[in-house]
Structures are given as structure tokens and as C-alpha cells.
Amino acid sequence: MKIYVFVLLLASHLPMAAQSVHQHDAANDSTCEDDELHVKLSEVVVNGVTGQSLLRESPLPFLVVSSKELARLSSTNVVDAIARMPGMAQLTTGSGISKPVIRGLGYNRVAVVNDGIRQEGQQWGDEHGIEVDAASVNSVEILKGPASLMYGSDAMAGVIVFRSQPVMPRGTMKADVQSEYQTNNGLFGYSLNFGGNRQGMVWNMRYSEKSAHAYENKYDGHVPGSQFHERAASALAGLNKQWGFSHLILGYYHLTPSIIEGERDEESGELEAADDWKPKGYGKTAPFQQIHHYKAVADNSFYIGDGGRLNAVVGYQQNRRQEFEESDEAELDFMLHTVNYDVRYLSPDFAHGWKISTGVNGMWQQSLNKGEEALIPAYKLFDFGIFATATKTWERWNLSGGLRFDRRHLHADEREEQFHDFKRNLNGASGSLGATYCVSDNLHLRLNASRGFRAPNLSELGSNGIHEGSLRYEVGNTQLKPEGSWQMDMGIDYSSHIVSAQLSLFANHIDNFIFLQRMAAADEAALHESNEESLGYDAFRYTSGTARLWGGEASVVVHPFKRLHIENTFSYVATRLLHQEADSRYLPYTPQPRWTTNVRCDLLRQCRHVSNSYASVGLECHLKQDRVHTANDTETATPSYTLLNASAGTDVLRHGKTLFTVCLTANNLLNRAYQNHLSRLKYADVNNATGRRGVFNMGRNIGVKVIVPIVL
């Protein structure tokens, strides 16, 4: 389903909770006045829990990150680019691998949608990121809250939708060249794009490449194994006609990250590295990974009757993750085949404001182990879900809701000797009921209740092996039940020409919450006695319990003058595992409370040689996280830290047309040494020379990005 977000309309003046402090593009457009923004807000369309809906009508909090804002950010991957948004965080392994976290939940609890289908890779793995080319992302929609209604299992925490560049207007062709450099890790990247539309025949092609050497900080110096290389290509071809559209999308993504082991010399405390490693070398060194992701998507939409629409999407993905230790032979080699399907009907308005959406979607998967070692068994999976949603507009009210039923069949076989054959049939129901109320043009209230569903993945059910990236032996539990969540969301949004404010609160109760727990001493000893491979590793087993999460986000944006914007946001998540001992009462990997402030000045709106010039400075304060899962040394508390950031940019004009856009960013200007609570490298070896444990995050990093549009 193609949903176009009008990125220039998402300014900080917008009165929605979905407009985070980062939505300012309209403020830089001299043709966009405040009154026009409130009118054009109705044109912004998102893919919510009940299908296509206006942003101001969504009962759940949305974030929409525009293309202009993405261009202003300096990041090493696409998740890094959005991790600072309110309610968002990232679980990282160095600078090259990031996993999204929404309100304290990540892994298979966050669904990622790209090119119209769910991105399927090895989401269960700690050291496996998202296979999406950041340069190909035009805008991002982030739905915070259970979205199982539209997306099925794995959308319990929310959905991240990466939108590619919209199809060009009829009769136009356009190309652009992007290039980026970052000082800390020597990251150099470029992307070439060419698209057009000739009498309804549309096309778009892109090629991107990115390389980085090891990043550095003032405590660790250059970090061995943090270098990576990324390559991506994509192509779209199809028809846009009065009857609708039909597009074929092909994509390829290849990432080669080295692996940060964090081992240190016992005397000097320096990080150990391979013999052929060079601090500023771009080549891979052992150990390293190879990730290949292939994709083919047929995206179709047909107009039916007076405003109805039938959408049909079918996609194929192949994900292959290989891990190499000392030789060219892959130790771990996972190959995953996925076929996605999604057919849905969206009705026009009828019967005084009613609108419905109904459909069926799901996927087929087959996973194979092709390496010398294996952590999870080979398996086959098939699931389907049927859903129906409805919305009703009545005076100042907008009501929305729906129901969904999912069924998943899973069969793991015993091709490898450490696994046994098992089958599971997993069923789940989802639902949502919400409302928004327009108190006035400046004040909106929203309330939503949701039921989410997530089936346990193969790692949780059938693991039996050494997880090298986590330095532990993992054992699955075939008796795990699906997770079920009950979540309540409420929001208040206010806006005027001087100030915009929003408050979003949530409370989430999850039954059968699945997590890893260290085995009891007797069970661990029995495992070591029966399995020599497990010797030297702590043994963990997947189990489940009852979890509660609550918190929210607040933001205030003040415009004391037309060109001055002062922004403040605060994000907070609290977690609790019920019926646990004191050292196990909190969920692992709960993000730190975070406060951000940013002051941006629009310097020049429209001049002869430059336009849309801006400069900004901001603070990013991560508060102390001492509510941690300390059982068996799973986690340690993380102290607070504050980062100083700055940015500036402008469009350079020639004869009234944009010649190029340049953006400068400076992250961690004071070169603060810190560890984020969600960094997996925090638990690497202790530096005996300093007493500090783990590897620290990236130090000062200055980036420059140049975008050159070419109109043909």
C-alpha cells in the first residue's frame, strides 16, 4: 500500500503527538505560513492500526520523520538515524549494528516494514541489525504501541515503516547524488539515484556504498572489529494509471561488519586485535560477518467503485547471515527464505462517515543451517491473519477499532544432532478500540486500548548451542506460550503559533513475557557434564513471566520569534517482572530516561545564493539507570551522561534553483566517554589498568553531507 507523507508539512507547529521535536521542515519553507499548516495537516496520511488514516485522527502516538530531517542527521545506519526520537532507543553492538527499541521492547516485538512488506531476517540475534539502505529511505513512520491488528505477530511494541522516495510526477525525470563523510570512523558513503515518469511508466534506481574504519573514544582508542562495509542496490519499475498502480521492486543489501570481541591484554588493558588489523584500515578482519539480503516485491493497488481500493502485495526475501572465525569456512551460516503476502480492501466513506478495511496477510518461511555449527534448528513456518477495522467520524469525535485472528504453524526438524523434532500451532487474537476528540482547533485528546499478540520465535523455542556473540550457551523451551499484551494509551496535544506541547502516556501488561534466565547451579552443572561444548560458558534457558511497562513521552516546542525554535522532550520507561526475586524484578535492556533540548535558528529563508539556512545546538541528557536485572551479573547500573551536539546547513542556489544542499553535524562535541545502557559492549572484558569494564561508545564525530539534485 502506497501512502505518501507530505514531508514539507511536518513542522514543529503541528498540533499532533506524532510531530516530535524533530519535525520542522515547513518552518524552513518561506511559502508555508502557520494558517496553511493547520489546513494542510489533513493531507498527511499514515498507515495506522486501522489502515489508512489522517495523522490527526490516530488514537495511538505516531512519529513521522521527514526526508529533510533525515538529511540533517549524521548516523552510521538507518536505525541510528531515528533512535533519538521520543520513545525510541537502539540496542547496539558497536557503530555498525543497531536494533530498534520502542518503549523498552525490541527484537521480535518490533515489526519493520520496507518496500511494502515486513522485513524478515535474523531479528532474534543480538548481533544482527536491519538490512535497509539508509540512503533509500525518504521518510519514516513510527507507530508506538501494539499494532498486531494490521501486521500480526511481532508488532507488539510497534511498527517502523521505512518509506522510499515517492514516484515522480508524470512527465518528469530526476537524479541526485549524495555523499557523506564522518571524522571519527572515517565513514565515507555515497548514493546515486535516478527516477522518472513517462506517460505513467515509472522507474527508480539507486546504488549506495558505505565504508568505515574502527571508531574511537578517549578511553579505548580505536576499537578493533568496529569497521564495516555496506553495499546496496534497488530498482523499481511499473505503471501508474487511472485504475491504480502496479510496481515491481527489486533490492539487494550486503553488509560486512567485523565483530568486536572486547578482549584485553591482562597487563596493559589494551584491546586485543587480529595481527592484520590496522586502526584506520577499511578491510575486514577475523572474526567478521557476511549478511546478504535479497528482495523482490510485487506491489499493486486497484481503484474499485467510487473511492474504494484493493491492495495486493506479494514479496520474496532471502536472508543469509554467515559468521567467520579463523578460516574462510563459515562457522555459523543461517539461510532464511520468506514469502510475504498481503491482500486488503479499503472502502470509501459511506453511511455518514463510516470507513472499513478488511483483509488477510501472513508469510511462509524456511530456515536452513548451512554452517559447521548451529544455534537454532532448521524450520518451516506458515502463518496467516484475517482482520477487519472500522472508523467513524462524528462531529468532534473520531472513533476507530478492529479485530484480528492469527494462526501460525511451526515445524522444527532434527537435521542437526543437538536438536529434536517438534511442532507447534500458535493462535492469537488482537484488537484495538480508540477515540480522538477535538476540543478545539488547538487542543486534541486521544485514548486507545489495545490487545497485542506475539508468537515465540525459534530461538526462544529451540535454541541449543553456543551463542558466540553473547558469550553464553542458550537452551530453548518448546513449551513457551504466545505473549499477549493489554495496553492503554492516552495523549493530550496542544498547539498555537507560539507554543506546541504534547503528552503521551502508556501502561502495558504482558502475559507470558519471554526472557533469558541463568540456569540454576545444579542444572548448569548437569548440562556441562552431558555436553562438553557448553564448558566455559554460562548457561541460560528461555522462560516466561508476567511483565508490566509504563511511562511516556512529553515535549514542548516554543517559538518566541518566527525563526527561533526551542525544543524540549522527555522519554521515560519503567518495567517490572512480577513474582520475581529483588535482583530479577526489572526487565533487561530498559532504556535510560532521556531529556533533550535543542535551539534552532532559521537564518536565511530565501536569498539570491542561499536558502533554508539554519543552525542549531542541543543537549542530549541520559539519566542514570539503576533499575536493572542484576541476577547472575546480567546487567549493571549505568551512570548518567550528557552529550553536546550541533548542526548547520543550507541550500546553495544558482539562477533560483538548488545547486546542492550541504549539512554539517557535530555529535558529542565535548568528546565525552560514555556507555549507553543498551550497548552490548558494556559487558566486555574489564580493563585491568583502569578498572573500567567494557567498551565505550563513539567519541566526538563531525560529519558533512552533500546532496546534489539533477533535474533532467
Side-chain angles (χ1 to χ4, degrees):
M1 175 166 44
K2 293 292 182 180
I3 301 173
Y4 300 114
V5 178
F6 295 85
V7 296
L8 294 180
L9 308 180
L10 303 175
S12 57
H13 303 75
L14 298 181
M16 306 304 299
Q19 270 61 57
S20 71
V21 299
H22 301 276
Q23 309 307 311
H24 301 298
D25 294 332
N28 284 337
D29 189 344
S30 61
T31 65
C32 291
E33 299 296 334
D34 292 335
D35 292 338
E36 293 177 309
L37 289 170
H38 290 286
V39 174
K40 291 181 178 180
L41 176 63
S42 62
E43 301 176 18
V44 180
V45 183
V46 295
N47 192 18
V49 295
T50 56
Q52 257 186 344
S53 61
L54 300 180
L55 190 60
R56 61 181 170 83
E57 297 173 353
S58 171
L60 279 174
F62 256 101
L63 295 175
V64 181
V65 189
S66 69
S67 60
K68 187 168 289 187
E69 184 59 31
L70 288 173
R72 293 173 181 171
L73 298 173
S74 179
S75 61
T76 56
N77 56 69
V78 69
V79 175
D80 189 38
I82 61 175
R84 298 184 184 96
M85 304 300 165
M88 291 292 299
Q90 59 180 331
L91 182 69
T92 62
T93 305
S95 60
I97 299 175
S98 298
K99 302 175 74 67
V101 175
I102 299 178
R103 288 178 163 177
L105 297 175
Y107 295 90
N108 286 76
R109 299 179 180 93
V110 176
V112 174
V113 178
N114 186 41
D115 293 326
I117 62 174
R118 279 176 40 164
Q119 189 84 2
E120 288 295 323
Q122 318 290 337
Q123 299 102 308
W124 52 269
D126 283 343
E127 66 282 20
H128 194 75
I130 303 298
E131 304 88 352
V132 175
D133 173 24
S136 69
V137 177
N138 182 71
S139 63
V140 185
E141 297 171 18
I142 304 171
L143 172 60
K144 296 183 290 186
S148 305
L149 190 60
M150 298 298 292
Y151 297 97
S153 178
D154 299 356
M156 178 175 290
V159 180
I160 300 174
V161 183
F162 294 112
R163 300 286 178 198
S164 57
Q165 182 176 339
V167 171
M168 297 292 296
R170 185 179 287 259
T172 61
M173 292 191 299
K174 185 179 179 181
D176 68 71
V177 179
Q178 303 180 29
S179 185
E180 180 179 11
Y181 178 75
Q182 297 178 18
T183 58
N184 187 286
N185 59 354
L187 184 149
F188 175 75
Y190 65 91
S191 183
L192 312 174
N193 179 243
F194 173 54
N197 185 334
R198 283 288 183 261
Q199 298 180 345
M201 297 184 63
V202 300
W203 70 91
N204 192 73
M205 296 176 287
R206 179 178 296 276
Y207 179 81
S208 305
E209 196 159 358
K210 184 188 300 180
S211 293
H213 61 64
Y215 78 84
E216 65 176 322
N217 59 64
K218 67 179 184 180
Y219 284 170
D220 301 314
H222 286 89
V223 178
S226 60
Q227 67 271 26
F228 66 90
H229 180 261
E230 176 184 299
R231 180 184 297 118
S234 61
L236 177 148
L239 296 173
N240 278 38
K241 298 292 185 180
Q242 293 183 345
W243 47 261
F245 66 80
S246 181
H247 297 160
L248 175 64
I249 305 169
L250 302 176
Y252 170 66
Y253 177 91
H254 178 212
L255 176 67
T256 307
S258 293
I259 297 176
I260 303 173
E261 295 184 301
E263 297 177 351
R264 296 181 180 273
D265 182 270
E266 292 187 0
E267 295 183 2
S268 68
E270 293 184 358
L271 289 167
E272 295 182 348
D275 294 337
D276 57 346
W277 178 74
K278 298 178 180 179
K280 294 188 177 182
Y282 288 85
K284 64 180 183 290
T285 55
F288 65 93
Q289 295 185 64
Q290 291 274 14
I291 295 113
H292 299 267
H293 194 88
Y294 303 87
K295 182 186 297 183
V297 180
D299 188 1
N300 307 278
S301 183
F302 309 98
Y303 294 111
I304 298 176
D306 186 16
R309 187 161 25 157
L310 178 66
N311 295 328
V313 182
V314 179
Y316 168 74
Q317 301 175 76
Q318 181 192 109
N319 183 280
R320 188 171 190 179
R321 176 192 159 204
Q322 299 171 295
E323 186 173 309
F324 299 85
E325 295 293 334
E326 301 295 338
S327 65
D328 294 334
E329 194 87 25
E331 300 290 331
L332 291 174
D333 191 344
F334 301 107
M335 177 176 283
L336 179 65
H337 302 275
T338 304
V339 175
N340 305 86
Y341 63 93
D342 188 328
V343 180
R344 65 183 68 187
Y345 172 74
L346 291 82
S347 77
D349 289 343
F350 68 95
H352 307 290
W354 281 98
K355 183 184 294 186
I356 63 170
S357 173
T358 184
V360 59
N361 54 25
M363 63 182 177
W364 169 90
Q365 283 188 336
Q366 182 178 23
S367 177
L368 301 172
N369 291 319
K370 305 179 74 67
E372 294 182 357
E373 301 177 0
L375 175 60
I376 63 173
Y379 70 90
K380 291 183 179 179
L381 176 152
F382 178 77
D383 70 5
F384 74 90
I386 184 169
F387 64 90
T389 67
T391 62
K392 166 69 174 177
T393 302
W394 176 62
E395 295 182 353
R396 292 180 176 269
W397 289 90
N398 185 272
L399 307 177
S400 60
L403 294 171
R404 179 188 178 99
F405 176 78
D406 281 278
R407 180 174 177 82
R408 172 172 291 186
H409 175 73
L410 189 61
H411 179 200
D413 61 37
E414 50 186 355
R415 300 185 188 185
E416 293 82 17
E417 61 181 12
Q418 75 261 41
F419 304 117
H420 64 275
D421 186 282
F422 68 89
K423 297 180 181 180
R424 291 291 305 272
N425 291 309
L426 304 163
N427 303 323
S430 306
S432 179
L433 180 63
T436 60
Y437 179 69
C438 179
V439 180
S440 66
D441 289 342
N442 294 336
L443 181 63
H444 293 75
L445 306 177
R446 59 194 70 247
L447 183 67
N448 192 82
S450 303
R451 168 67 175 177
F453 160 77
R454 185 183 79 89
N457 61 48
L458 248 295
S459 177
E460 296 161 339
L461 290 170
S463 290
N464 189 17
I466 301 169
H467 196 162
E468 297 284 358
S470 302
L471 300 176
R472 62 192 178 210
Y473 195 97
E474 295 183 5
V475 179
N477 183 351
T478 58
Q479 303 305 310
L480 291 173
K481 298 178 180 179
E483 295 179 344
S485 71
W486 291 98
Q487 180 161 321
M488 182 69 69
D489 286 87
M490 65 170 293
I492 303 174
D493 309 300
Y494 173 80
S495 71
S496 69
H497 298 309
I498 298 177
V499 62
S500 299
Q502 65 90 8
L503 176 67
S504 297
L505 302 176
F506 76 96
N508 193 1
H509 178 97
I510 305 178
D511 295 315
N512 305 315
F513 183 85
I514 300 170
F515 60 98
L516 269 176
Q517 187 175 67
R518 177 83 176 267
M519 286 185 179
D523 293 336
E524 189 175 59
L527 175 67
H528 293 331
E529 184 176 348
S530 63
N531 189 328
E532 293 183 358
E533 290 186 357
S534 67
L535 292 174
Y537 292 88
D538 295 335
F540 286 73
R541 184 189 302 275
Y542 282 98
T543 186
S544 63
T546 302
R548 289 180 182 174
L549 301 91
W550 63 96
E553 302 85 42
S555 71
V556 178
V557 184
V558 182
H559 317 278
F561 306 104
K562 190 172 184 179
R563 298 190 180 185
L564 182 64
H565 313 277
I566 303 172
E567 313 160 320
N568 286 274
T569 69
F570 182 72
S571 301
Y572 177 77
V573 178
T575 66
R576 180 66 64 89
L577 272 171
L578 304 185
H579 316 301
Q580 298 287 324
E581 299 294 333
D583 57 358
S584 304
R585 74 173 87 179
Y586 302 114
L587 296 185
Y589 293 121
T590 299
Q592 296 169 258
R594 184 180 65 210
W595 168 69
T596 65
T597 185
N598 190 69
V599 179
R600 196 191 80 243
C601 182
D602 300 328
L603 302 174
L604 297 171
R605 293 277 183 94
Q606 189 73 37
C607 293
R608 182 177 180 182
H609 297 296
V610 295
S611 69
N612 298 328
S613 303
Y614 69 92
S616 70
V617 62
L619 291 175
E620 183 180 333
C621 181
H622 296 250
L623 304 183
K624 180 180 180 180
Q625 180 58 281
D626 55 6
R627 297 186 173 186
V628 296
H629 194 99
T630 59
N632 304 308
D633 201 25
T634 299
E635 283 190 307
T636 58
T638 301
S640 63
Y641 61 89
T642 300
L643 306 179
L644 175 64
N645 306 316
S647 66
T650 188
D651 295 337
V652 178
L653 308 180
R654 182 180 182 185
H655 303 309
K657 296 183 179 180
T658 301
L659 187 63
F660 62 89
T661 299
V662 60
C663 301
L664 299 174
T665 58
N667 294 329
N668 193 5
L669 261 176
L670 301 181
N671 200 28
R672 174 70 183 271
Y674 70 97
Q675 291 175 320
N676 185 275
H677 188 66
L678 270 62
S679 171
R680 293 180 56 254
L681 301 179
K682 183 172 178 277
Y683 303 101
D685 285 354
V686 173
N687 186 332
N688 291 330
T690 64
R692 304 186 187 101
R693 181 182 180 184
V695 177
F696 283 71
N697 288 72
M698 185 181 290
R700 182 188 299 112
N701 188 27
I702 299 173
V704 57
K705 186 183 297 184
V706 178
I707 304 173
V708 182
I710 305 171
V711 180
L712 304 175

